[in-house]
Each structure stands twice: as structure tokens, then as C-alpha cells.
Amino acid sequence: GSFDGGRRRSTQMGFLQSVQNFRIPKKNESVFLEIVILGCIYVLAFAVRLFSILRFESVIHEFDPYFNFRTTKYLVSQGLYKFWNWFDDESWYPLGRIIGGTVYPGLMYTSAIIFWILNAISLNVNIRNVCVLTAPFFASNTAIVTYLFGKEIRDTETGLVAAALISIVPGYISRSVAGSFDNEGVAIFALILTFYLWVKSVNTGSLFWSLLCSLAYLYMAAAWGGYIFIINIIPLYVLVMLACGRFSQRLYVAYTSMYILGTIFAMQIRFIGFQAVQSSEHMAAMGVFCLLQLVNFLSWMRTMLPGDHFRRLIKLVFTVVGSTTAVAVAIMTATGYISPWTGRFYSLLDPTYAKEHIPIIASVSEHQPTTWSSFFFDLHLLVFLFPAGLYFCFRKLNDANIFAILYSVTSVYFAGVMVRLMLVLAPAACVLSAVAVSSTLKTYMGHLKKPKAVAKKPKVDNTIPIQREIALVAIAGLTLLLCLYTFHCTWVTSEAYSSPSVVLAAKQGDGSRVIFDDFREAYYWLKMNTAPDAKIMSWWDYGYQITGMGNRTIIVDNNTWNNTHIATVGRAMSSTEPDAYKIMRMLDVDYVLVVFGGLTGYASDDINKFLWMVRIGGGVYPVIKEADYLTANGEYRIDKEGTPAMLNSLMYKMCYYRFGKTMTEYGKPAGYDRVRQVEIGNKDVELEYIEEAYTTEHWIVRIYKVKPEENRWAAA
Amino acid sequence: MMRGAWLFALLLPLLIVCVFGGKQSQQILVLLDDEVIRSTHSNFFSALAERGHNLTFKLADDENLKIAQYGIFLYDSIVLFAPGVEELGGDVDLASILAYIDSGHNMLVAASPATSSFTKELAAECGVKIDKVNSYVIDHFEFDASDISGNHTLITATNVIMNPVIVGSEPFESPILFRGVGMKKMDSNALVTKILTAPTTSYSFVPDKAADDKLLATGADIVLMAAMQARNNARVTIAASLDMFSNALLASPVTKLNADASTTTFSKSGNAQFVTAVTKWTLHERGLLRAQNVRYGIVGGEEFPRAFRVKDELYYKVQIDEFKDGKWAPFAADDVQLEFIMIDPYQRVTLRHDGKGTFFTTFPVPDVYGVFKLDLKYRRLGYTTIFLSNQVAVRPFDHNEYERFIVSAYPYYASIFSMMSGFVVFCIVYLYSKDSSSKASTSS
């Protein structure tokens, strides 16, 4: 395709004279430009994600990445087979966890392979640095793949704009800054790659592209649980195509080969295994596969049979197939051959489901429904360009565009249900916005062009006056908006998404930055001062970090596979000291770790999470009742008005031990909690069954040792 | 890391037993509240010294008294024969005495009708309640005829605990003479054992006064001698009478008045036999068990594996010895049990032994993966507690540990290979056969 506008701009920007004199053939020129632009985007996408390294250091962020980091280290040091069979006795004590069979290993394999390659060519990099930079590297690759996707859906210009947009879109940056070593980092790349190859294989009807598509699907399935999205949206797309009467042999080849190969590939991932053919989430794909066979068969029969025979055949086929399918599904569901839908899936379909039934899902902040502001925060300009893109797609409907429309519409829905799925929407929004931007620019740039040879048919209608001026205004406006988008993205990246969250930073009154490194301080203390087989109890959020950095056994962690075990910990935290002691003895707990922000004003601490512990604990053990922890008015209070159950719970005591005598803020009484902005209600906390072992510099992490049983006393 | 863990778990109980147990010649501190006791109880003390112990006599309120120096305790055991002392001398107080017990040392404590609040608090910390000042255990039926005061405070006790480890296996021919205060076991402490209890007809009150209904205890509820064996195996024996250790009562004959006014006379009281037995037990000269050399592994396979696999056959061996007559000898018992625990016990097996002190068993690892503990907890009255805990991981099958070819799957293998060959044949036929119909259609 041509890229006149771009070329014009680049010459205007004033290359060196020698470069201007150097003229390459016109077709090659645009290819050269494409490469340069893509190269810039490639570098930009990587560079914009490095804020966190420059501000802090090359460190793994947040919670889940610590698990990924730990498993990657294990993979690199122990090899593939050990990793495959890894039974981890350090987490979920005493249940343990079969890591090899319960992870999506794509991320670990990816970074391990990068590590091995780099070391094989004598670039001796540290595995940590590889892990820290994996996500930015894949963000660059995503930009390239988005370019291909856009190109496949519309044209080269769209691809280039889409690549530029996605390289800095905050919704994606939030999961791919340097240090954010999470599945999503590589999964979005795999997602777009799969979609690109899918559209390509539908467009070409070639087995080759379908095979590549299923390989990309394998990578996606290996990397992230979100592969479910692919295996449902593609059948949906096929259904829509059938409904539109767009059934073709290309579609048939693409889908059947992709479904069969993709499913066989996905089954190779241990965590998926037979789910790929048994679980409800995958049934739609299988159903569509069967339907497609039927449709193909019937369309072939149509050419063979006279009209009325064919209609009779259709009737017969529909009744037979319909009833047998219904019966088969009913039987298989009843016998449990098809597993029921998981809670997370339900909460996708019905956003209120989790809130009512599964507190453990509802308690995760990234599973909350998305607010309008976060749509704008994460997408900015794309929120407005996105519908325009939809419009342009509808205007020029083809197989590829229908896929783009479907992908974007479904992802808008999912992004609305769960904050986390903003990640899936971001690429869709970029691609559709790119359609809008490139279509608009192309239209108006055409007006700017001076009419060339008279022999050529003029593309634009020259009858409207001042169209050059209108075009100029439109282009200037769009450029301004895109500039604003750039500024917004950079600002969001630097301010909101580049904090490692294991190291906290705050601005002091005089503008200088103060660093709270309490988490690592505490984990290091655990590593150096406790027995190697010591068991640490904490709320599950910190599990991965304790095993990752402290190298100690923990009771529950962020992989929330066993609700009962988490509920037991929740119950211990919300019980009184003697009751909690029994639970802790049962679980062989040596130390208890709590996160407390009352001194510094760190808001996401355990007191603020406490109601979730009560809810989750109460969900399994009805002795814990949420109402006991709330005042008569249903308020959650920690001051004098707090309920006795609240003020005497283990969590409260551990957080506020010695706090009653501490001055936190000028002009406030001792024991003033800076997060809740109140004076605490139980100022002289005394501990009987546990003792303080360590409290970090800013009191963010407090560690308590569980005392051994009374030496001279045993309850009869 | 796992190896370190088992080594640690294995050595810890061993260390405790080796350091504090089975020491034949001990440094014993005897605290008295009156220098006279040294002569009135000389037989008891010389018996201790004859057994090889090194006795240091100090007045309890000696201002130079110290039981620890530079954080190390100076004595292996303490005999506290100072019921009346209100405060110990030097910087020794109740807390330091309790710390002494909690670090695994033994004590023999004697109370009397003039027991001070210090001794009472010490007893209370160990789960024994001592009656009011000036009260005695009184029995108007089971008393020694030599008690002519009419108060009947010199009683004859025969309710000795039936436990050969604590009081020896020889039966008591004569009753034990007792003159002292009443005590009661606090029911909330399961670690306290009643060694000697009062006759059923006795009560504890101030003599010469009419008893009201606020008695501490009556009959067999009155404890004359109690012992508390702490979790760390420290033994604290509390005698309600200082007199029962005295030369007078150790050697005294006993004359009991029978119901028909006749008398039964024993030439020598049972005190010497009883006191000797109990002191031996208290000072860890008897009733010690030690477990060592724990070995476990897969039968016919690795010892101390990194992890067991589900359904492995696990063996467990341990050497248990008993300290008897001044030396360690193999222990024999048929009730030593081993538990395989992950929150709940999945296996509880009784260990067999070979008569040479080696206890062993084998059992199949349950088909459940997780982190298990091999717990051997042996608590028997009179003996020190054995508690061994070894953490082992149980992993599921590795990918290459399953059966490779299963007979029942042969139809599937057959179908796969027939399918593959059929496909090849189909391809050949499809690719290399002439399509007559299409040819016909193109020609027409």
C-alpha cells in the first residue's frame, strides 16, 4: 500500500540533504519507512516500560511475579524434567503443591529459553534481569504482531497506527512494565499473534496458516488461563459467520484444522490436560466444530439432491442431531464427565455471582467490576476512537472486519466485568482506534494532496469549497489528540504503573522521596533468623513473596486453590488468641506475619483486608460471623466503638501491639491510626500465646513468634 | 534443606536427654531454712551423698546465694528444704527458680505446716495447692500410736502410687509416717501426678480447732506428695512434709491402732524405702528414656529420601534406651506408636522391637501427597517423654513412573496404529489413483 502522508511528513521534518538526495525506488521507499517506523515503535515500547528500573531498581514487582520468578529459577537450575515433576513442599503447608501440574508454564519456559540463549552466546546475564525485562521485550513483540494484525484486518497504515497505539496504551503497560513478570506479559503477545494468524488463515484458507495459528494457540494456552477467551471467541466468530451466510471453504479449513490441532496441543499443557475436551468452557468450540461438519455436509448434499429431498433431509438431520446432542450433553453433565463451570467463569457471565457466593474471588481487587474512570485512565483517547473504528469496520464489512468487531465487542463486555480484563480490551481498542485514525487521516490527507496528473481519475470530489482548510483542521485536531494521548500514557506509566509495590515510595513535605523497603527487610529477616523449616502464617497475599524472598514454608499463598485452607487461616486471624493458638498449633505455625500501615499510612494493609478474612473464614466455619465484627450500624470500626470480637481478634492485637503508646502524627493522641484516621480502641494489647519477633523500620511488616506450649502446664 | 531439617529434628530431643539425663554424679544444692535440718535429716543427705552426688548446703536466705553464673546454672538439681523461707537470698527469686526448672533441672521441695508464701507460689506454679499455715493432715483412724498429743497429726499413709518406675517395684511392707500440711492437685494441670495420698479418713485443718466446711480437701483428695514432670522432662517433686525425710521418721517403728483396739507394729517405717525411691526418680536416676538413631526410608531403597512417593513402603527404626541402675539399657515396651500425620494421622502403627532396644515398623505411604510428619510421641507415667518429629514430603508419581503399557489399553493401541496405517494407505490411494469421473466431465 502507499504511505504518502507519512513520506510527506518525514521529508518535511527535514532529513539531511544527503539523505534527501538519496532516492530509493518508490515501492521500496514505503517498505523502508515501515521498517524505520516499526523499529522506532519497537524501541519505544521497550523504553517506556523502564521507568520502574530507573526510579527503583531491577526488581521483580508485586505478588504473583515472585512465584513466577521462583519457578523460573527452579526451571533454570533444575532443568525441564525436574520442573515438570516439581512437588513443592514449601507452599501450602502441609498440603504441598504440585507446581508442575498447576502452572501455566509458558512464561517460565520463555524466560528460561531467553536466558539459555543469551548464555549460550556468552552474554552472561543474571536470571533476574532476564525475568525483569521479559515483559517489556514481549511488549515490543506485541507491537509488531499488532501491526500484522491491523494490516491483515485493513491495511498497512492501520497496522502501523495500531502498533504505535498499543506500544504505549496504559491498559497494557499496567501488566508489562519492567519487573512485572506475570503471565499476561507474554500472553497478550500470544493472544494477538493467535488472532492475527487466525484472521490470516480465514483470509487465505490455507492449512499452513491454520497450523501456525494452532501453534500460537498452544503458546497462549501454555502462558495464561485467558486462552479460554480464544477458544470461545473463535467459535463465536464462526457462528456469526454462519448466521451471516458467510460460510466458506476457507472458514471450514481454518476452523476444523485449528480446533483439532489446537485442542491436541493444548492438552499437552499439564494444567489443562483433559479439560480441553471435558470442561464446559471448551464445549462451545466442540459444538461449533460438529455444527461446521454438519453445515459442510449439508452444503455438499445440496449440490447432490433435488430441492424437496434436501429440505426433508434438513428436517431429519436437525431433529436427530439436536435431540442426540441434548441427550448426550445432559448425560455427560449429570455423570460429571463434563466438569461444571468454575466460579471465575460464572462471575464473568454474572458479575454479581462472586460477591454472593465466592468471597475469595470477590476479595481480589483485580476481580472487581471496572469503573468508568478506569476505562478512561487505561484507554484515554481510545475510548472515543473505538466506536468510530467500529463504524469504519461496519462500513467495509469483510471476514476480517467481522472478527475485529466481535473481538472488540466481547472484550468490552469482559473488561466491564473485571478490571483485570482491561488487558484484553486494550489491544482491541488499539486496533479499532487505528482503523478510525488511519481512515480519517487517509481521507483528509487525500484532500491536502495537490491534484497531480490530469490523466488520473481524481479520487476526491473537488466541488466542496475550503476542503483543504477543513482537512487541515481535522488533521491538526487529530494530531493534537494523539499528542495528548501520548502525554497521558507517559504520565500514567510513570506515575501509576511503575511502582514495584514491594518497595514503596512516598513524597515528604519538602518534596523529597522517602523509600519504604519494609517488605524486603522483613523477608530478609525471616531468611536469616528463622529455622530453615519454619512455617510462616500470613494472609495469602504475601505467600508468594515469603517463599520467593524469604525461602520459608508458608501456609497459604496467592494460588488460591484450596478455599478451606485459606478459610482456616482467616479463622485464625479473626479468632481470639487462645482459639487462634489451637489452629496455629494444628498447622505447626512458627511465625505469624502481618502487614500494618497505621504508622505510615499504607492503606492496603491487613486491617483493611480483615473483613475479607472474616468473610472467607466464615464461609467455611460458621462460628465466625461477619456481624460480630461490625458495629450495630454495620460500620467497620477499630476505635472505641469497635466490637469486642474485633478488638480482641488476633489480627487486631498483632497489628496494634505496642501501638497504643506510639505517637504517629503531630497534634494527635498516641495510638492514632493514620490509615483509618482514628485513635485505636484497644490501646494496651497484651499477648499471651505469641510474642513479637520483629517489626520493620516503618512497622509495615510485623512478625510474631508462636510460643511453645507452657512447659509446666497442660490442660487436663 | 530437608536433610538439615531431619538432622535437626533428630538431634534436638537427643541433646536434651543427653545433657540433662542420666548423670550419676550430680551437683546438688540443698537449701535449708535452718542449719539444724542438716543434722536432723542427716541420714537422708548422707544417703544422697552415698549415691555419688555432690551436695552443697546453703541457707535459703544466704545473701550470697546464686544458682547461675554467666547464664549457666551451677547445679544439676536443687533440694529445697526451706518451707518457711519468705524470700531466697542473693538475686534468686521465684522467676529464676522457674527459669531453672524450665531449662530442664529437677527440684525436690518440702513443705510443712509453716510453709511460706514463696514455697506456696512455687508449688502453685507447678500445679499444687498447699493448705493454710498451721494446718495439718489429721486422721483419727490411721495414725501412729506414738502420737500421744491427741491431735493425730502423725498419720500412717499407705496409698502409694502403683508405678514401679517412680516408687520401685518392691511392695511397701510398712506404712509411711507423715506429719505435715495438706496439699491438693490443681485439676487444670495434667502434668501433676499424685505419688502419695492421704488415707480416706483424713482431713486437713488446724489441730485443736473444730473443722468447718471450708476444708481444702479431705480423704484421698489430700495429696501428701506430688510430682510434676514438665514438658521438657524436668521433675519437681513436692512433699507436704519436711519431717518425713527426717532421721526420726526414717528409722521410727510404726504402731498402728486397729479397729478392735489391738495394735499392729512394724519394726521400721516405710519412709526410707519410699523417700529413696522417689528421690532417685526425681533426680533423674531412674525413669529416663532416650531415643536415638532414627532411620527411615523406602524399603529396599534410599534412606532419608528427599521425598517419598505415594504408595512407597516406608520403614522406620529407632533405638530407645532406658536409664536403669546407673546405666543405659535397652527399653522394651509393646505400646510405642508411630503416627504419619498431615493435620490428621493417616497411619498409626505400633512399633515392634527386637529386645535390644530397636523399635521398627514398615507401612505403606498413603495415596495422598503432601508434607507429612513422622511423629513418635511416647508418654508414660514415670518415664520421660519421647517426642520425635520428622518432616517428610510425599510426592505424586513422576511422569516416567507410571506403567508404560497397560493390558486394558491394547484396543486403543490397536486403533491408533490401524488408523495411522489406514491413513497412509488412503493417502497413497487418493494421490496415485486416476479420477475417472472428473476426467470424464472435463472431456465432455
Side-chain angles (χ1 to χ4, degrees):
Chain A
S2 67
F3 199 73
D4 298 14
R7 196 195 74 216
R8 197 179 251 282
R9 248 188 295 166
S10 67
T11 44
Q12 277 166 0
M13 283 192 313
F15 275 9
L16 288 171
Q17 195 62 36
S18 54
V19 177
Q20 265 183 348
N21 290 343
F22 174 74
R23 299 209 59 91
I24 19 181
K26 209 165 186 187
K27 198 184 165 197
N28 291 351
E29 193 178 4
S30 67
V31 170
F32 173 72
L33 259 173
E34 267 170 47
I35 290 172
V36 169
I37 292 172
L38 281 177
C40 290
I41 290 173
Y42 200 82
V43 174
L44 170 71
F46 189 83
V48 78
R49 286 166 167 83
L50 301 183
F51 274 113
S52 58
I53 291 187
L54 301 176
R55 291 267 169 77
F56 296 93
E57 59 189 286
S58 166
V59 66
I60 304 284
H61 291 188
E62 302 210 335
F63 304 108
D64 287 19
Y66 270 94
F67 170 76
N68 300 330
F69 180 45
R70 175 168 165 246
T71 44
T72 309
K73 279 197 289 189
Y74 189 91
L75 171 61
V76 166
S77 62
Q78 305 285 323
L80 287 171
Y81 284 114
K82 281 274 179 64
F83 179 70
W84 181 273
N85 291 318
W86 186 13
F87 173 72
D88 180 21
D89 51 14
E90 277 198 0
S91 55
W92 286 95
Y93 180 86
L95 309 171
R97 176 181 174 192
I98 307 172
I99 301 262
T102 56
V103 288
Y104 291 106
L107 180 70
M108 297 98 195
Y109 284 147
T110 306
S111 38
I113 288 169
I114 295 175
F115 175 80
W116 285 326
I117 290 176
L118 288 178
N119 277 278
I121 56 173
S122 300
L123 288 171
N124 290 321
V125 287
N126 187 324
I127 181 67
R128 192 195 68 234
N129 288 324
V130 172
C131 292
V132 164
L133 294 176
T134 298
F137 172 59
F138 268 83
S140 297
N141 296 341
T142 308
I144 303 303
V145 175
T146 311
Y147 158 74
L148 295 172
F149 186 44
K151 191 172 165 186
E152 198 59 37
I153 281 186
R154 207 169 172 90
D155 48 26
T156 315
E157 292 86 336
T158 310
L160 284 174
V161 178
L165 288 178
I166 203 170
S167 66
I168 53 170
V169 66
Y172 179 34
I173 282 186
S174 66
R175 288 315 186 104
S176 60
V177 290
S180 163
F181 185 52
D182 216 342
N183 289 339
E184 291 91 328
V186 297
I188 292 303
F189 164 76
L191 180 84
I192 307 297
L193 182 64
T194 315
F195 284 163
Y196 157 63
L197 291 168
W198 167 249
V199 172
K200 185 100 184 163
S201 61
V202 171
N203 280 347
T204 57
S206 137
L207 261 179
F208 172 72
W209 290 110
S210 309
L211 172 68
L212 288 188
C213 177
S214 21
L215 282 172
Y217 173 67
L218 165 68
Y219 187 49
M220 177 70 187
W224 193 34
Y227 79 93
I228 293 284
F229 180 60
I230 299 185
I231 203 62
N232 280 298
I233 190 146
I234 288 182
L236 181 67
Y237 168 70
V238 173
L239 266 186
V240 169
M241 293 285 276
L242 289 183
C244 301
R246 283 175 171 266
F247 174 76
S248 63
Q249 287 303 314
R250 288 180 287 113
L251 185 69
Y252 178 78
V253 170
Y255 186 73
T256 44
S257 48
M258 187 269 164
Y259 173 70
I260 292 292
L261 290 175
T263 303
I264 291 173
F265 286 152
M267 287 172 80
Q268 309 310 312
I269 307 299
R270 256 185 99 190
F271 194 22
I272 299 172
F274 277 91
Q275 276 183 47
V277 285
Q278 286 188 2
S279 83
S280 311
E281 284 92 337
H282 299 79
M283 282 302 129
M286 187 184 274
V288 168
F289 174 74
C290 299
L291 184 69
L292 210 54
Q293 307 310 317
L294 204 62
V295 170
N296 199 32
F297 172 71
L298 289 177
S299 67
W300 177 68
M301 287 300 278
R302 180 182 230 144
T303 61
M304 312 290 281
L305 287 176
D308 56 331
H309 281 82
F310 180 68
R311 268 189 290 282
R312 275 211 323 257
L313 180 77
I314 280 188
K315 263 186 203 161
L316 181 75
V317 164
F318 269 90
T319 36
V320 169
V321 170
S323 49
T324 43
T325 318
V327 169
V329 168
I331 289 175
M332 287 198 287
T333 312
T335 53
Y337 188 74
I338 303 179
S339 58
W341 286 350
T342 59
R344 273 198 187 81
F345 197 73
Y346 269 125
S347 58
L348 270 183
L349 296 180
D350 172 11
T352 57
Y353 179 83
K355 211 170 222 172
E356 285 157 20
H357 296 95
I358 328 166
I360 199 136
I361 292 179
S363 76
V364 181
S365 61
E366 52 184 36
H367 291 167
Q368 304 296 328
T370 318
T371 56
W372 282 111
S373 60
S374 70
F375 269 107
F376 183 75
F377 190 74
D378 277 351
L379 300 174
H380 192 251
L381 181 62
L382 309 186
V383 174
F384 309 107
L385 290 178
F386 175 75
L390 269 184
Y391 162 75
F392 281 111
C393 280
F394 270 112
R395 260 227 330 219
K396 211 174 98 185
L397 216 53
N398 58 27
D399 289 0
N401 278 345
I402 291 180
F403 186 75
I405 292 167
L406 264 182
Y407 168 34
S408 50
V409 169
T410 44
S411 61
V412 165
Y413 172 73
F414 289 133
V417 174
M418 261 192 207
V419 175
R420 182 151 93 128
L421 295 179
M422 186 65 82
L423 198 63
V424 177
L425 171 63
C430 287
V431 171
L432 281 200
S433 303
V435 170
V437 170
S438 74
S439 306
T440 316
L441 278 183
K442 232 164 95 186
T443 315
Y444 287 115
M445 284 291 186
H447 289 287
L448 283 188
K449 244 196 277 180
K450 281 171 195 159
K452 280 183 184 169
V454 192
K456 268 192 184 172
K457 221 195 273 174
K459 265 188 184 174
V460 249
D461 180 12
N462 284 323
T463 51
I464 309 168
I466 60 158
Q467 48 177 242
R468 258 183 76 101
E469 286 70 19
I470 292 175
L472 261 178
V473 169
I475 291 168
L478 200 55
T479 314
L480 180 70
L481 285 177
L482 287 175
C483 286
L484 285 178
Y485 171 75
T486 313
F487 283 122
H488 173 81
C489 292
T490 319
W491 175 77
V492 167
T493 310
S494 102
E495 292 299 314
Y497 289 143
S498 292
S499 162
S501 98
V502 281
V503 185
L504 306 166
K507 282 227 168 68
Q508 274 184 320
D510 58 353
S512 65
R513 218 161 54 113
V514 54
I515 296 277
F516 300 127
D517 206 355
D518 288 39
F519 285 103
R520 290 196 293 179
E521 183 189 343
Y523 300 141
Y524 195 69
W525 184 89
L526 281 177
K527 191 176 186 171
M528 303 311 288
N529 294 287
T530 62
D533 61 346
K535 283 95 192 167
I536 320 288
M537 181 171 90
S538 72
W539 191 235
W540 57 265
D541 296 23
Y542 317 106
Y544 279 161
Q545 292 185 345
I546 294 172
T547 37
M549 284 188 266
N551 196 21
R552 289 294 175 271
T553 308
I554 40 108
I555 308 294
V556 291
D557 67 27
N558 310 47
N559 175 262
T560 52
W561 63 275
N562 189 323
N563 192 23
T564 313
H565 214 50
I566 291 184
T568 310
V569 172
R571 181 184 175 183
M573 295 292 192
S574 22
S575 302
T576 57
E577 228 187 315
D579 290 345
Y581 186 69
K582 282 178 207 148
I583 299 172
M584 294 191 292
R585 295 290 311 177
M586 183 187 84
L587 293 172
D588 299 323
V589 174
D590 297 303
Y591 294 88
V592 193
L593 180 147
V594 289
V595 171
F596 171 62
L599 191 75
T600 49
Y602 173 60
S604 52
D605 66 350
D606 279 347
I607 290 286
N608 276 1
K609 290 172 185 168
F610 184 56
L611 267 193
W612 288 112
M613 303 180 202
V614 172
R615 272 177 211 148
I616 293 169
V620 176
Y621 303 102
V623 283
I624 304 289
K625 294 184 197 71
E626 191 181 342
D628 293 346
Y629 296 84
L630 300 173
T631 60
N633 304 331
E635 287 173 297
Y636 177 67
R637 300 183 71 154
I638 54 148
D639 56 2
K640 286 205 181 66
E641 308 294 314
T643 59
M646 177 75 213
L647 299 188
N648 292 308
S649 64
L650 182 72
M651 176 54 77
Y652 189 94
K653 282 181 147 186
M654 286 193 293
C655 284
Y656 292 117
Y657 180 63
R658 293 198 293 115
F659 189 69
K661 297 186 191 73
T662 312
M663 298 297 295
T664 54
E665 220 168 284
Y666 182 73
K668 300 284 185 205
Y672 179 79
D673 186 313
R674 294 177 67 182
V675 174
R676 268 66 58 176
Q677 307 272 327
V678 286
E679 189 183 345
I680 60 167
N682 182 359
K683 279 199 179 177
D684 32 43
V685 175
E686 278 180 13
L687 299 171
E688 196 181 339
Y689 295 90
I690 53 175
E691 58 193 358
E692 186 180 15
Y694 190 71
T695 294
T696 56
E697 189 185 351
H698 305 98
W699 286 39
I700 290 182
V701 185
R702 309 195 70 180
I703 301 170
Y704 290 85
K705 187 180 198 314
V706 180
K707 286 188 192 169
E709 283 175 304
E710 187 84 51
N711 185 37
R712 283 167 283 107
W713 215 273
Chain B
M1 210 208 83
M2 280 297 295
R3 281 195 166 241
W6 71 253
L7 204 70
F8 185 73
L10 189 148
L11 287 179
L12 197 68
L14 259 186
L15 273 175
I16 292 169
V17 173
C18 291
V19 171
F20 301 115
K23 201 166 171 187
Q24 203 39 0
S25 169
Q26 298 185 17
Q27 296 293 329
I28 296 179
L29 174 67
V30 183
L31 292 175
L32 310 168
D33 55 1
D34 192 341
E35 204 56 62
V36 174
I37 298 171
R38 224 177 139 169
S39 51
T40 55
H41 291 61
S42 60
N43 288 349
F44 172 71
F45 293 132
S46 55
L48 275 184
E50 270 165 33
R51 297 216 298 269
H53 300 309
N54 202 347
L55 273 61
T56 309
F57 292 92
K58 287 251 168 85
L59 275 179
D61 50 4
D62 184 344
E63 58 190 33
N64 294 323
L65 182 66
K66 59 167 75 156
I67 58 171
Q69 191 163 26
Y70 308 127
I72 293 174
F73 289 107
L74 301 169
Y75 305 99
D76 299 311
S77 305
I78 293 180
V79 175
L80 183 62
F81 275 6
V85 71
E86 281 297 341
E87 226 172 75
L88 292 185
D91 53 358
V92 183
D93 56 4
L94 184 62
S96 55
I97 292 288
L98 292 178
Y100 178 79
I101 297 170
D102 289 345
S103 61
H105 296 86
N106 309 316
M107 280 191 86
L108 177 63
V109 181
S112 78
T115 306
S116 66
S117 59
F118 172 80
T119 313
K120 279 186 181 171
E121 278 169 36
L122 175 60
E125 284 287 342
C126 298
V128 175
K129 191 168 185 202
I130 301 181
D131 206 354
K132 293 186 288 286
V133 179
N134 290 334
S135 62
Y136 281 81
V137 179
I138 302 166
D139 195 318
H140 297 299
F141 298 90
E142 303 280 336
F143 60 94
D144 186 67
S146 68
D147 185 357
I148 48 166
S149 67
N151 286 332
H152 299 155
T153 52
L154 184 61
I155 62 168
T156 53
T158 50
N159 290 338
V160 182
I161 187 172
M162 306 270 272
N163 184 298
V165 188
I166 300 178
V167 293
S169 44
E170 285 172 46
F172 285 85
E173 305 287 348
S174 1
I176 294 154
L177 286 175
F178 176 92
R179 186 193 292 119
V181 68
M183 302 195 301
K184 199 182 168 198
K185 178 194 166 190
M186 294 185 189
D187 286 333
S188 54
N189 195 349
L191 298 175
V192 178
T193 311
K194 302 185 220 177
I195 299 181
L196 182 66
T197 48
T200 49
T201 47
S202 59
Y203 66 100
S204 172
F205 204 68
V206 184
D208 299 332
K209 279 192 183 175
D212 54 23
D213 51 1
K214 287 177 188 157
L215 295 174
L216 177 79
T218 57
D221 278 351
I222 301 174
V223 183
L224 305 181
M225 188 183 275
M228 189 273 301
Q229 179 173 294
R231 284 182 204 272
N232 64 357
N233 293 329
R235 286 171 181 164
V236 179
T237 302
I238 303 169
S241 160
L242 180 57
D243 286 353
M244 68 189 294
F245 298 93
S246 67
N247 298 352
L249 293 191
L250 286 180
S252 160
V254 181
T255 313
K256 261 180 84 174
L257 215 58
N258 292 335
D260 56 355
S262 65
T263 55
T264 317
T265 307
F266 303 90
S267 62
K268 192 166 174 275
S269 72
N271 286 35
Q273 187 193 348
F274 176 69
V275 162
T276 310
V278 170
T279 348
K280 275 188 176 174
W281 180 80
T282 306
L283 299 180
H284 275 185
E285 291 170 48
R286 187 155 71 195
L288 298 187
L289 292 181
R290 87 174 166 193
Q292 57 183 353
N293 204 11
V294 176
R295 313 184 80 81
Y296 56 85
I298 305 160
V299 173
E302 199 187 346
E303 188 156 74
F304 304 124
R306 171 78 183 77
F308 287 95
R309 194 183 67 191
V310 293
K311 296 176 179 174
D312 269 348
E313 190 74 10
L314 183 151
Y315 71 83
Y316 184 93
K317 267 191 250 176
V318 61
Q319 171 77 28
I320 302 179
D321 298 322
E322 181 185 3
F323 192 69
K324 235 184 346 196
D325 307 326
K327 58 181 186 295
W328 289 102
F331 181 64
D334 294 322
D335 55 355
V336 183
Q337 287 188 323
L338 177 75
E339 286 180 317
F340 199 54
I341 300 177
M342 181 173 74
I343 298 183
D344 304 311
Y346 281 72
Q347 286 277 4
R348 183 181 287 138
V349 287
T350 306
L351 300 182
R352 286 167 288 149
H353 67 94
D354 60 357
K356 292 176 196 154
T358 305
F359 288 73
F360 57 92
T361 191
T362 62
F363 62 86
V365 174
D367 193 4
V368 177
Y369 64 81
V371 183
F372 285 79
K373 286 184 296 179
L374 279 162
D375 274 10
L376 191 155
K377 199 166 195 174
Y378 190 67
R379 266 183 88 88
R380 292 294 179 273
L381 190 58
Y383 286 111
T384 52
T385 307
I386 296 179
F387 182 52
L388 303 172
S389 184
N390 296 277
Q391 183 180 313
V392 295
V394 174
R395 62 169 175 83
F397 282 92
D398 277 355
H399 70 282
N400 53 2
E401 287 174 336
Y402 291 99
E403 270 179 282
R404 207 22 86 79
F405 293 102
I406 310 168
V407 177
S408 55
Y410 275 97
Y412 295 97
Y413 304 144
S415 83
I416 287 167
F417 285 105
S418 66
M419 168 97 179
M420 278 161 62
S421 50
F423 185 71
V424 170
V425 170
F426 170 79
C427 289
I428 293 168
V429 170
Y430 185 77
L431 291 175
Y432 297 101
S433 64
K434 282 177 187 165
D435 194 343
S436 54
S437 65
S438 65
K439 230 177 198 174
S441 62
T442 41
S443 63
S444 65

